[in-house]
Amino acid sequence: MALMGAMFASSSALNIFGQSMGVIGNNLANTNTVGFKASRAAFQDVLAQSVGYTEAEGTNQVGNGVNVGAISPILEQGTFEQTSMPTDLGIDGQGYFVVMD
């Protein structure tokens, strides 16, 4: 069963790497899109089982691959650009501009 666990852990890593490359690709494809906010993939361990307990180390846990914990937007302040349109606006600081309630 150890070989199957190793194969599953490595295949899950390749799958999650592909998903993170999709997030990066989306960020690159929308680089020049006005108002686009990039995203970041966060990874987490998938624990399969606990094996043994010692006073010094606590519980030893065996991993079973990785998973995407969250894909969260990066909400940092962007740059402002001067336009010739009197209806264009930009928001300084944190928050969103509510268009419709």
Side-chain angles (χ1 to χ4, degrees):
M1 195 61 153
L3 179 61
M4 290 301 291
M7 294 298 285
F8 180 78
S10 60
S11 67
S12 75
L14 289 173
N15 184 25
I16 298 306
F17 180 71
Q19 289 182 21
S20 68
M21 290 299 289
V23 172
I24 293 169
N26 187 39
N27 291 342
L28 290 174
N30 290 297
T31 299
N32 292 326
T33 303
V34 176
F36 175 74
K37 293 294 186 182
S39 297
R40 174 182 301 126
F43 302 101
Q44 67 183 13
D45 293 330
V46 178
L47 297 176
Q49 61 186 356
S50 297
V51 289
Y53 176 82
T54 62
E55 294 262 341
E57 296 179 11
T59 304
N60 294 324
Q61 295 178 324
V62 176
N64 199 18
V66 295
N67 196 4
V68 173
I71 298 175
S72 53
I74 303 170
L75 301 174
E76 295 177 357
Q77 178 69 46
T79 59
F80 292 104
E81 294 182 23
Q82 186 74 26
T83 66
S84 60
M85 298 296 296
T87 57
D88 289 347
L89 61 97
I91 300 174
D92 187 15
Q94 297 180 355
Y96 290 98
F97 182 72
V98 180
V99 178
M100 181 183 296
D101 189 13

